[in-house]
Structures are given as structure tokens and as C-alpha cells.
Amino acid sequence: MRILTGIQPSGTPHIGNYFGYFKQNIDLLGEEENLLMMVDLHALTTVQSPDDLRKYRQELSKDFLACGFDPSKGTLFFQSYVPEHTELMWILSCVTPMGLLERAVSYKDKVKRGLEANVGLFAYPVLQAADILLYGADTVPVGKDQIQHIEIARDIAQKFNNRYGDGLLTIPEARVVPEVAVIPGTDGQKMSKSYGNVIPMFAEESVIKKAIMGIVTDSKGVDEPKNPKTCIVYQLHALLLDDAGKKELAETYKAGGLGYGDAKKNFFEDCMDYFGSMRKKREALKDAEVIAVIEEGSAYAREIAHKTMERVRKAVGLR
Ligand code: ADP
Ligand code: TRP
């Protein structure tokens, strides 16, 4: 069994990314073969500054290592260090009907949000299909928003196999992780770097504190009972606690006597505690160590990609 996932290096990660992506993928390590790829080619659809792209990619690798990605249990690599991604993408483009991409909601969403409607953005799902099919991945763990992209990858693989030969490409399965609800940002919308409502776990302490103190609440006074179900401070704080801790915190909210200011301070302290060892580990990580991990991971990824491409080139008549 091979599990593969990808994340765009397109900004500074936040606790929504941590609980919705980092933690789950790190927890999966060791059970099956695991590949985690930083999709820098995909990030080119939105990141226009070369310095930013280099920085985000390097920083994101550091974040994964700091959060516990153990390179002896999984492969961490850069998509662009394996040139076969773009070659396979082209070949797959030639079996992909336009209609399949025209139905992709994420393209429409991005254009609606004001991104330039370029070919890269439109063809994004074909590159993603190449990412997955190149490694013969059986399982792709994803959030709900990515299910359609995995469906597209499956469709493309099927079309390719119909034309060139059964079993040439492995049909991947999406694994939707149900327990990961959408984590709210400081304003109650989905936490996202596009909405400026994030709590970035590796930022300066003062930045984290400011973000937490800025969480939107209702106007209930200190003594009034509060509803943990609707309180964003509670929902975010609960992410850090075990079941007993969650229950106790909920009781405190319901009892009244805890003002939002203090509730936020408590959350801030627990947050610094929770991420403390990861923050220390991250500070101690040297750039050279990170680069060595990526080089080694990318070399391994290239070996797999090379074998798939040999097969694919032969199948389509390029060899
Ligand atoms: P952003 O929305 O900040 O741009 P990305 O789209 O780069 O984040 O997301 C990277 C990964 O983190 C994805 O797998 C996504 O599902 C997950 N993720 C992002 N935001 C959240 C959130 N608020 N709650 C849960 N998971 C999230
Ligand atoms: N499109 C994915 C996202 O925005 C990132 C991605 C690119 C990906 N290639 C992938 C995810 C391959 C899983 C497998 O989150």
C-alpha cells in the first residue's frame, strides 16, 4: 500500500493546517509506505515572487520536520525535483476531455476569488493526477474540498488504461478523514491564509497572542454562562485537549464566571505549551539538514517516477 499526499508551499501554515493536514499525515507514518510532496509547481499558479516560493518551500519542509515528520518512516520531497511530473501531465492532458476540467469547482472558485484565469490554473487537476499516478498511489488522504480532484485523477487513469492497456496506471482511492471538521479562524469563517483569520503556530509569540486576543466573541459579560458549541475560543482551545479536558473546559464555559479575555489567555498559554516542543525543534533545525532530507526524498521519488515513466512512454509509443 502506498499513501501519497501533497501540499502547496504558498504561505505560512496555521493551526487549521496543523490539525487538518500536518497531524493526520504525520500520524499515518510508518503503517504503509508514505510519500509527502510539496507541490511547488502547483504553487506557481498563485505565488508569483520567486523569493517567496523558495522561502515557503524551505519553511514548509522545516514545519513538517518540526511537527514530527520522521524521514526514516516516510518520504518528504519537492514535486519540481522530479521532472517526470510535467512529462506525465502532458501525456495525461492528451486523454483528458475538456469537459472534465470545465466541471472542476476549485478552478471556478479561484477565478471567482480574483485569481488570473491562466492555463496552469485550469490544468491544475491534470498535474495533480500526474502527481498521484506517477507513484501508483493506492490511497490519497484528503479534505472534502479535494475529493473532486481525486475523482478527476481516477477518471484520467481509467481513460489512459482504456486506451493503452489495463492496469498500466493504478486507480487511486481518496481517503476522506471524517473527524477533521473545518477549523474556524479568528472571525468564525474557515481558517485560511486567504481570509487573514489565522493563528500561525510557528510565528512570534506576540503574533500568536494578538491573533488569539482578536478572536471574535459575543458580548456576554464575565459572569454570564457561555455556550461552548458556538464559541470560537472554545472550539479552537478544545483542539488542544483530550476528552476529559474538553469536558471540563465546556463545563467552565457553561457555569459562567470566565470572561472571554481570560478564556483567550488560557487558550494562548495552552497553545504555547502544545506547540512548545515543536517550536523548539524548529528553531534548532539547520537549513542544511532540511535540504539533505529533501534531496534524499526526491532521489527516492525519482526512482519510482522513472519506472512508471518507462512503462508509460513505451505504452504511448514514445519508446
Ligand atoms: P489555506 O486555506 O490556508 O490556503 P491550504 O488550502 O493550503 O490552506 O490547505 C492545506 C491543507 O490544510 C489542506 O489539506 C486543507 O484541507 C487543510 N486545511 C486548511 N485549512 C483548514 C481548516 N480551516 N480546517 C481544516 N483543514 C484545513
Ligand atoms: N491540490 C491539493 C491542495 O490544494 C494539493 C495537491 C497537489 C495534492 N497534488 C496532490 C494533494 C496530490 C494530494 C495528492 O490541497
Side-chain angles (χ1 to χ4, degrees):
M1 275 286 279
R2 185 173 282 158
I3 300 183
L4 172 132
T5 172
I7 181 166
Q8 292 195 55
S10 54
T12 307
H14 48 76
I15 63 173
N17 298 138
Y18 178 77
F19 289 102
Y21 188 85
F22 282 58
K23 187 171 182 301
Q24 291 165 21
N25 282 294
I26 290 168
D27 289 348
L28 279 175
L29 285 179
E31 285 169 28
E32 280 124 335
E33 184 177 7
N34 231 285
L35 300 169
L36 200 156
M37 153 181 66
M38 273 151 282
V39 291
D40 45 7
L41 296 172
H42 278 109
L44 273 179
T45 57
T46 51
V47 182
Q48 284 165 7
S49 148
D51 287 340
D52 280 353
L53 184 58
R54 272 188 286 265
K55 185 182 88 189
Y56 292 152
R57 202 171 66 168
Q58 176 72 5
E59 298 293 296
L60 189 59
S61 321
K62 224 180 226 185
D63 297 336
F64 275 110
L65 295 173
C67 290
F69 188 98
D70 176 351
S72 70
K73 293 193 181 146
T75 304
L76 194 64
F77 70 105
F78 290 162
Q79 179 190 34
S80 68
Y81 281 20
V82 186
E84 283 86 351
H85 286 256
T86 45
E87 185 184 355
L88 183 58
M89 180 203 172
W90 178 254
I91 294 172
L92 297 178
S93 299
C94 299
V95 301
T96 306
M98 286 293 285
L100 193 59
L101 301 186
E102 277 160 1
R103 285 194 293 277
V105 289
S106 108
Y107 171 74
K108 288 184 235 172
D109 279 355
K110 285 173 183 167
V111 174
K112 221 187 278 165
R113 277 199 277 126
L115 291 181
E116 183 196 358
N118 60 39
V119 175
L121 207 57
F122 185 70
Y124 184 112
V126 189
L127 181 57
Q128 183 162 349
D131 295 343
I132 298 168
L133 303 175
L134 196 49
Y135 300 98
D138 306 283
T139 308
V140 186
V142 285
K144 282 202 189 91
D145 61 323
Q146 289 296 315
I147 296 176
Q148 192 186 28
H149 284 165
I150 310 307
E151 288 298 324
I152 293 176
R154 289 169 57 88
D155 272 8
I156 293 177
Q158 230 118 35
K159 289 223 155 49
F160 184 91
N161 287 352
N162 285 345
R163 186 177 298 176
Y164 295 111
D166 257 357
L168 273 169
L169 296 175
T170 304
I171 313 290
E173 294 280 348
R175 185 194 288 169
V176 185
V177 199
E179 65 269 29
V180 193
V182 170
I183 290 153
T186 54
D187 60 357
Q189 291 188 79
K190 169 192 176 318
M191 188 179 289
S192 168
K193 59 183 167 294
S194 331
Y195 303 146
N197 62 359
V198 303
I199 301 171
M201 66 268 189
F202 290 123
E204 299 269 324
E205 223 176 293
S206 60
V207 174
I208 300 180
K209 190 163 194 178
K210 192 161 168 233
I212 290 179
M213 297 315 282
I215 297 173
V216 174
T217 62
D218 57 31
S219 54
K220 288 205 171 87
V222 175
D223 293 329
E224 286 180 76
K226 303 182 179 62
N227 183 354
K229 284 202 185 107
T230 55
C231 177
I232 307 163
V233 189
Y234 173 81
Q235 283 167 29
L236 292 170
H237 197 161
L239 293 168
L240 313 176
L241 305 173
D242 59 18
D243 286 346
K246 273 184 221 166
K247 205 164 159 216
E248 199 187 319
L249 187 66
E251 293 308 324
T252 318
Y253 273 66
K254 285 190 229 163
L258 175 73
Y260 285 122
D262 283 332
K264 289 175 184 178
K265 275 190 199 127
N266 296 343
F267 169 40
F268 169 69
E269 275 159 27
D270 281 359
C271 202
M272 295 318 289
D273 247 18
Y274 187 95
F275 289 106
S277 58
M278 297 179 228
R279 290 168 63 87
K280 275 207 193 93
K281 193 167 169 194
R282 195 179 188 286
E283 255 167 53
L285 267 171
K286 305 244 179 341
D287 277 333
E289 281 173 67
V290 178
I291 292 166
V293 168
I294 297 297
E295 291 286 357
E296 194 180 326
S298 303
Y300 175 68
R302 277 195 299 272
E303 276 177 34
I304 306 172
H306 178 77
K307 285 189 194 131
T308 308
M309 282 317 292
E310 283 291 290
R311 227 175 37 236
V312 167
R313 290 183 198 117
K314 224 180 257 162
V316 302
L318 293 170
R319 289 287 184 282

